[in-house]
Amino acid sequence: MSAFPLSVFDAVAPLRAQVAAWRAVGDRIVLVPTMGALHAGHLALVAQARAIGDRVVASIFVNPTQFGPNEDFLRYPRDTASDLALLAEAGVDAAYLPDAAVMYPAGFSTRIAVDGVSEGLCGGFRPGHFSGVATVVTKLINQAQPDVALFGEKDFQQLQVIRRAMRDLDIPVLIEGVPTLREADGLALSSRNRYLTPEERARAPRLHAVLTRIAAGLNAGEPAEALVAEGRTVLEAAGFGPIQYLEIRDAGSLAPVSDLRTGPVRILAAAYLGATRLIDNVAAG
Ligand code: AMP
């Protein structure tokens, strides 16, 4: 049993009324959007939310519009009972679980498209993905009306797309990134890690090792091209494939860069290990 009462909402009006009541007494409200199948990475966002706010709202919605036709929407893991228990235990004040009819009522016709930061990387391999993300996150933020919304650096391009969309649309919310929580061997926690066979799981940390090696090389002044080529070779030798991308980008604009002269960079990768698509990224500079 949790020491914290968790209110569960599935509609916009009661959620907004609760948030308004909290705000009326001066509380700072933090939203943590998720797709459920919660793990310690999500709970790191909740912990950060509790540290910086007075009230925490966590949303769970597996958003169909951010999945491509051949992606895993139907088999995406769903475990609401366990998720709610974890959120209660973590001290979340309100869980928001809208269903598809609340998010996309009949006649829904609007889409937010973010140019620039959503192009290339995951955006190049998942057409429409970031438009789906930007649209649903804008809706969740307008519905919950938090002061702050937290997103993991694990999905670094997503974080930059959301920052850009909120800025461009003058949506009055502070977007903050939270560092990636990893297993002891470096593998970034992800709801999709459960798809890995034990044998794949043993090889999966190589992705983070490759990114870390490229970051160290860049920091030491080694040439980017050779570092990336070496990284690809190591990933292929570990059984990764196809490697969708392994790239060095400006940490803010996500423009392609090949050294640290223009400021901090991010090294980002997406690659399949068997049937599972893994993504990760690290900082350099
Ligand atoms: P998801 O449920 O996969 O949409 O993720 C919900 C939020 O949790 C997103 O902001 C993710 O970036 C974040 N997240 C997922 N995995 C991790 C992790 N290992 N460390 C930190 N944040 C994460």
Side-chain angles (χ1 to χ4, degrees):
M1 266 294 282
S2 163
F4 306 96
L6 173 71
S7 308
V8 180
F9 297 89
D10 61 5
V12 178
L15 174 68
R16 276 195 184 153
Q18 175 63 89
V19 168
W22 286 332
R23 182 161 292 114
V25 297
D27 284 349
R28 186 178 204 226
I29 295 109
V30 185
L31 176 68
V32 178
T34 82
M35 297 204 301
L38 300 181
H39 52 65
H42 298 108
L43 300 180
L45 270 64
V46 169
Q48 174 71 4
R50 291 193 67 195
I52 64 170
D54 304 298
R55 297 287 184 176
V56 179
V57 180
S59 64
I60 300 176
F61 180 63
V62 185
N63 176 36
T65 70
Q66 70 189 68
F67 288 80
N70 299 316
E71 294 183 358
D72 57 348
F73 174 67
L74 289 174
R75 68 180 190 114
Y76 194 83
R78 291 164 172 85
D79 193 349
T80 306
S82 147
D83 287 347
L84 289 176
L86 286 170
L87 292 178
E89 194 58 41
V92 164
D93 298 282
Y96 177 47
L97 282 69
D99 64 19
V102 168
M103 296 306 281
Y104 303 114
F108 188 89
S109 316
T110 302
R111 228 194 317 254
I112 293 176
V114 182
D115 295 341
V117 286
S118 70
E119 290 161 19
L121 305 173
C122 284
F125 290 92
R126 304 185 71 187
H129 170 68
F130 286 119
S131 175
V133 168
T135 305
V136 80
V137 167
T138 301
K139 279 182 67 82
L140 290 168
I141 286 173
N142 282 336
Q143 291 171 338
Q145 305 190 320
D147 300 288
V148 186
L150 297 186
F151 296 87
E153 290 183 351
K154 157 89 181 355
D155 301 283
F156 195 79
Q157 190 176 16
Q158 167 175 283
L159 172 62
Q160 301 305 351
V161 167
I162 292 164
R163 282 190 202 285
R164 185 79 256 163
M166 296 304 115
R167 212 177 296 157
D168 288 353
L169 298 175
D170 303 304
I171 296 176
V173 66
L174 187 67
I175 302 298
E176 282 196 18
V178 178
T180 302
L181 195 76
R182 301 179 179 282
E183 304 282 6
D185 59 14
L187 177 65
L189 267 65
S190 164
S191 304
R192 291 186 171 105
N193 289 351
R194 67 188 73 186
Y195 300 151
L196 297 168
T197 65
E199 199 270 328
E200 289 163 352
R201 172 63 189 83
R203 285 181 286 136
R206 196 55 64 89
L207 183 59
H208 178 242
V210 161
L211 295 173
T212 307
R213 158 78 185 113
I214 295 174
L218 288 175
N219 285 332
E222 295 176 40
E225 208 177 309
L227 288 166
V228 169
E230 175 197 89
R232 284 188 162 271
T233 305
V234 171
L235 287 177
E236 279 159 8
F240 283 82
I243 300 168
Q244 289 192 328
Y245 61 83
L246 174 58
E247 291 193 40
I248 304 164
R249 297 285 184 116
D250 180 88
S253 69
L254 294 184
V257 290
S258 53
D259 55 47
L260 305 178
R261 276 181 295 188
T262 49
V265 305
R266 211 84 194 179
I267 304 127
L268 309 101
Y272 278 88
L273 187 53
T276 307
R277 182 176 180 273
L278 298 178
I279 63 169
D280 202 351
N281 67 88
V282 305

